[in-house]
Each structure stands twice: as C-alpha cells, then as structure tokens.
Amino acid sequence: MTLRPAHEPVRPRPPAVSAVPLPKPSAPPVGAVSPVAVRAGCEFGMTALLLFLVVTAVRWLVGPDSAMAVGPSLAPAVLGPVTGGLLTLFMVSPPGRCSGCHLNPAVTLALWRLRELPGRDVAPYAVAQLAGSLAGTWSAGALWGPAATGGPVRSASVRPDPAWGDAAVLGAEAGVLVGVTVMLAVFLARPVGGRGLPYAVGATTAVVIAVLGPLSGGSVNPARQFGPALLAGDVDRLWVYLLGPVLGAVLGSGFAGVVRSGAGPWAGLPRRSPLRRRCARGGGSPRR
C-alpha cells in the first residue's frame, strides 16, 4: 500500500487513576526531527533522484553526442516507460512507504482533499518536492555539463508543440490530473486496491508521457517542470505547468466526492476506507 504515509506509533494512554505518581514526560531533545519532517525529507530525496535520472535519460536520448540518441520525436516513447518504472520502484521502496511517494504537489493536494493525508503535511511535502526538483536537475547539470544544460536537452525542460496554445496545454494538464485523482480515489477506497496502485501509477505515467509528450509536453507534475524550467530559463509557460495539475487535482477530488455519494459505477464507495479507519483507531500501519 502506498500514497498513504506511514502512521505515527500510537502511544498508550496512562491509567485514569494511579496510586503511584507518574513521572513527568521528558522534553524532546533539542533538534529532534519530527515525523512530518522525516516524510518530507523522503519526498525531497526521491524527487531529487527522479529528476536527476530523468535529466540523465533525456541527455542520452536527445543529446547530439550520444550514441543512444533517438531524437526528440521518439524520446517520449522511451522516457515514458522508464519514468513509469522508476515511479513503481520508488513507491514500493522503504522511503516510498514512509512518505507515500507522491513526488507531485498536485497528487499531495488531491490526497488531502480525498482525506487520505493530514492537512499539516501538504505544505512540507510541496516545498520538499519543488526543492528536490531543483536539486536533482542541478545535480544532473553539474555532472553532465553543457550536454545536459544546453542544446536540445535544456535540463529536460518540457515544451509543447508550437500548435498548442496555453489554454490547450492547461486543459491537457488539468484533464490528466482529474483522471489520476479519480483513479486514486477508486484504488484507495478498497484495501485490496492499494496492492496494484504502484503498477497502475507507473503504467499511467508511461502512457501519459508517451502520448502527450510530443503534444503538450506531458509533464502533469509541477515538480517535474519546476526545476528544469527555472534552470533552463523556460519560465514563460511555467505557470501553465504549475496551475494545470493543481486545478485538475481540485476538480478531480470534487468529482470523486460526487461519485462516492451519487449514482454511477463507483457509487457507495466509502469516504474513508476500512483500512484507513483501522489505522486511525490505533491499528498501526498496514503491511504493504
């Protein structure tokens, strides 16, 4: 099970009446790391690694000095399965189990609105993901030099087809996140559904990049474009790639709420899954 972060351990309550005075709890050590910070740190590290690998892959797929170059037109068809496979591996890894492996501020927002993530985690997760995007992109540029930062690679910053205007790109980015959010709601509504979620997310990511990459850019993740666009200087359309997925997450979570309570093939799905309720009662983190 992923996308839900690991739950904090439940501490037993002291007895209501005690003949022996209970010792006062000791203050936490200075500089202690909170569980939220630990989970956000996992998001930072995995996002940085993902962007480093994406920039590296684009450098070898598009770079003119690469013996493996396939050209910009075929690169999305190769990059899609690679990125999808990486996401699946990250989601089943220990850091992925710790934080839920969102790696996408829009997904974090959607899960909060679906009541699968505490609201206090949203801002730390988003900041960590965007910072990880910058760190990973910069690290790849530092390693590969001009081969990754210049020429056709440009730090793997995505660019739409010239025929696609801002409205079309915004609609594509938002539309994909609507579908992804509904998919997450359906999978997370049943405990058994979470077992296949890493593979569904990986397959969806592969298809989106392969199909929409040559058209709208196929980012569908503010963190995917944030670091590459800033370091490559492609900031004129950055707002589209930031706003589109966020808008789609809001619309998709609202639609999922209507579907859960109204008519349709998913009518009657619980707003909070039985597994989520068991963890909330102190049953601990589920086996993933």
Side-chain angles (χ1 to χ4, degrees):
M1 185 77 67
T2 48
L3 292 179
R4 297 189 184 104
H7 296 276
E8 301 176 23
V10 178
R11 302 181 185 277
R13 294 182 179 179
V17 180
S18 177
V20 180
L22 296 175
K24 294 182 179 180
S26 58
V30 177
V33 180
S34 70
V36 175
V38 171
R39 296 195 293 271
C42 292
E43 288 290 303
F44 170 84
M46 289 186 292
T47 306
L49 180 58
L50 178 65
L51 265 295
F52 174 84
L53 295 175
V54 166
V55 175
T56 298
V58 175
R59 178 256 182 274
W60 290 107
L61 290 173
V62 178
D65 62 336
S66 171
M68 299 181 293
V70 297
S73 60
L74 294 178
V78 179
L79 187 62
V82 170
T83 306
L86 289 173
L87 282 178
T88 299
L89 291 176
F90 286 172
M91 291 180 73
V92 300
S93 69
R97 295 191 184 102
C98 175
S99 70
C101 193
H102 302 177
L103 313 189
N104 184 337
V107 169
T108 297
L109 177 63
L111 290 171
W112 169 61
R113 287 179 57 84
L114 292 173
R115 302 180 186 181
E116 298 290 350
L117 184 75
R120 66 177 181 271
D121 286 8
V122 174
Y125 269 43
V127 171
Q129 292 153 359
L130 296 177
S133 174
L134 274 172
T137 305
W138 180 87
S139 299
L143 175 64
W144 301 113
T149 59
V153 180
R154 294 180 59 80
S155 298
S157 176
V158 301
R159 292 176 294 275
D161 185 271
W164 282 59
D166 291 348
V169 176
L170 184 70
E173 294 282 302
V176 171
L177 251 295
V178 169
V180 168
T181 302
V182 173
M183 179 189 74
L184 296 180
V186 172
F187 270 82
L188 294 175
R190 308 291 184 186
V192 68
R195 299 173 187 172
L197 188 54
Y199 309 100
V201 170
T204 301
T205 301
V207 172
V208 168
I209 294 176
V211 174
L212 290 180
L215 302 175
S216 67
S219 172
V220 201
N221 181 350
R224 163 63 181 88
Q225 179 68 346
F226 182 71
L230 287 183
L231 295 180
D234 292 339
V235 296
D236 53 337
R237 284 187 168 179
L238 178 59
W239 69 272
V240 177
Y241 292 104
L242 297 181
L243 178 61
V246 171
L247 181 61
V250 173
L251 295 176
S253 57
F255 177 72
V258 173
V259 168
R260 282 173 170 176
S261 58
W266 302 305
L269 289 180
R271 291 185 178 274
R272 299 182 72 187
S273 69
L275 187 59
R276 175 77 169 175
R277 290 196 295 268
R278 179 174 67 82
C279 294
R281 289 197 301 265
S285 179
R287 184 178 298 276
R288 304 186 181 196

